[in-house]
Amino acid sequence: MEIFLIKTLQFMLSISILVLLHEGGHFLFARLFGIRVEKFYLFFDPWFHLFEFKPKKSETTYGLGWLPLGGYCKIAGMIDESFDTDQMKQPAQPWEFRSKPAWQRLLVMIGGVLINFLLALFIYSMLLFTWGDTYIPTKNMTDGMKFNSEAQALGFRDGDILVGTEKGEFKEWGVDMYRDLSKATRADIIRDGKPMSITLPGDLNLLDMLKNKPLFAKQLISSEIDSIIPGGALAKAGVMKGDRIVAFNGKPTNSYNDVENEVGCLSDVLATVETPADSLRVRTTSVVTERDGVRDTATIVLSPELKLGYVPKVPHYEPVTRKYGFFESFPAGVSYGLNVLGGYVDDMKYVFTADGAKSVGGFGTIGSLFPGSWDWYLFWKMTAFLSIILAFMNILPIPALDGGHVLFLLYEMVTRRKPSENFMLYAEYVGFGILILLMVVANLNDILRWLNVM
């Protein structure tokens, strides 16, 4: 429960910062051009609000809504999510949005996206300045990697050390490495101490690489036992620190990765059982350990969570840290942010596939990305990432989003003809419906994953 609360608090704080600054971007440009802002809200307020206030001599009412799905900056003389048609029936006033030149209205509409994008770059820069960039180069992972059958069919072998592709060396283990491999026609590796290359097709499916079980590639972890957890299944069988697991559940194993894969298979079977007796049958299995060439076979009963009760001997690799001066951190932060944006945009093509649609997540998925303990570095890194996503999603040319308004404004600037207010109103309805549908799908996916249906 404590972990859930910490994740929720971080998520709410992050979203509040991003929404306030996004709406603040619209507010800033509106006031710069003398456009009246009638309401400025954090969160939506259908039917009622938590509180609001209006400073003396101010034209703007500020408040806090109860529905944390976004924010609200009601600009006078503009068709937006408020659907205020009564105001639009009145004669246009000089302080209204609709009375201003198209270029000013365009800047008002991109103000939120601009602030979110600049905020992300600033946060990344300050993260590099404050903490530096710490990572483990893949070429330094001298124990190598464990590859699934699809990777081995391409020529990889367990123990190969991934170095890079024709585009250059991998910086570190992560999604960028997988993304480079998916597009590469050549993978550079070290095998048995010798550099060599493997030919790749150049069009691997990134989503498959990341979701298949086992994964396309994982860090290879020895089958040697580093420590035994008292009271666990292996402890009851007399297994000791330093033993190696050479077989599990009747399958030979030469790494912790193999054991992990077999546990995953048992988990799939356990999910289908209906009685305690069936559960006990699935959890009762065999393990073969080896010490100094002598093997010992034991029957063990795994916990309901399928835990063996041991910690594997994980290889230790020294991380590399690069420090940045204050002014040096800005170009590095910009480069980092643009790389994050480029990767996110590139991955969007998978959303339009069946598996990609299932991978879309709602508020539960986003909240789960925050750490279970309060960590300012991870909090700000996640906030910067969400700021990039918010900027990109809002600039999409969908009515009701900033990008939809930008599209119509660009049309007006090119053709010198303004879309009718009725057209804009109906477009807003359609766009709002699309957004609600996407939100329902994303959060339904979260519920189905929570119920283990998907």
Side-chain angles (χ1 to χ4, degrees), residues 354-370:
D355 288 336
K358 292 179 182 178
S359 68
V360 173
F363 297 112
T365 296
I366 298 172
S368 69
L369 296 176
F370 287 91

Side-chain angles (χ1 to χ4, degrees), residues 216-403:
F216 184 87
K218 290 188 70 174
Q219 178 184 346
L220 182 61
I221 299 176
S222 165
S223 62
E224 184 176 345
I225 295 173
D226 185 67
S227 62
I228 294 290
I229 299 175
L234 293 186
K236 293 176 181 178
V239 178
M240 302 174 63
K241 174 181 178 179
D243 291 351
R244 291 177 54 250
I245 299 178
V246 296
F248 174 71
N249 195 36
K251 303 287 181 63
T253 57
N254 56 25
S255 67
Y256 169 75
N257 308 79
D258 291 334
V259 176
E260 192 177 35
N261 293 339
E262 284 303 314
V263 170
C265 293
L266 288 178
S267 178
D268 292 339
V269 176
L270 189 63
T272 65
V273 303
E274 298 180 353
T275 67
D278 289 336
S279 172
L280 180 61
R281 176 179 53 79
V282 172
R283 294 186 288 114
T284 303
T285 186
S286 63
V287 62
V288 181
T289 57
E290 181 179 272
R291 175 188 287 269
D292 299 328
V294 179
R295 296 192 173 190
D296 183 48
T297 302
T299 298
I300 60 174
V301 179
L302 304 177
S303 71
E305 298 79 24
L306 297 181
K307 302 295 184 182
L308 279 79
Y310 83 106
V311 177
K313 189 173 183 179
V314 179
H316 174 72
Y317 304 120
E318 285 295 330
V320 173
T321 300
R322 179 177 177 182
K323 294 291 186 179
Y324 292 87
F326 181 74
F327 294 106
E328 188 184 15
S329 67
F330 286 98
V334 170
S335 177
Y336 189 99
L338 292 176
N339 181 64
V340 171
L341 176 62
Y344 182 77
V345 173
D346 187 62
D347 294 344
M348 281 295 292
K349 61 179 178 285
Y350 295 107
V351 173
F352 303 101
T353 65
D355 288 336
K358 292 179 182 178
S359 68
V360 173
F363 297 112
T365 296
I366 298 172
S368 69
L369 296 176
F370 287 91
S373 59
W374 202 282
D375 184 312
W376 282 113
Y377 172 79
L378 295 178
F379 169 81
W380 286 115
K381 190 173 184 179
M382 189 62 202
T383 299
F385 178 63
L386 291 179
S387 194
I388 287 275
I389 293 177
L390 186 60
F392 175 74
M393 295 301 292
N394 263 283
I395 205 62
L396 291 176
I398 299 175
L401 289 178
D402 297 341

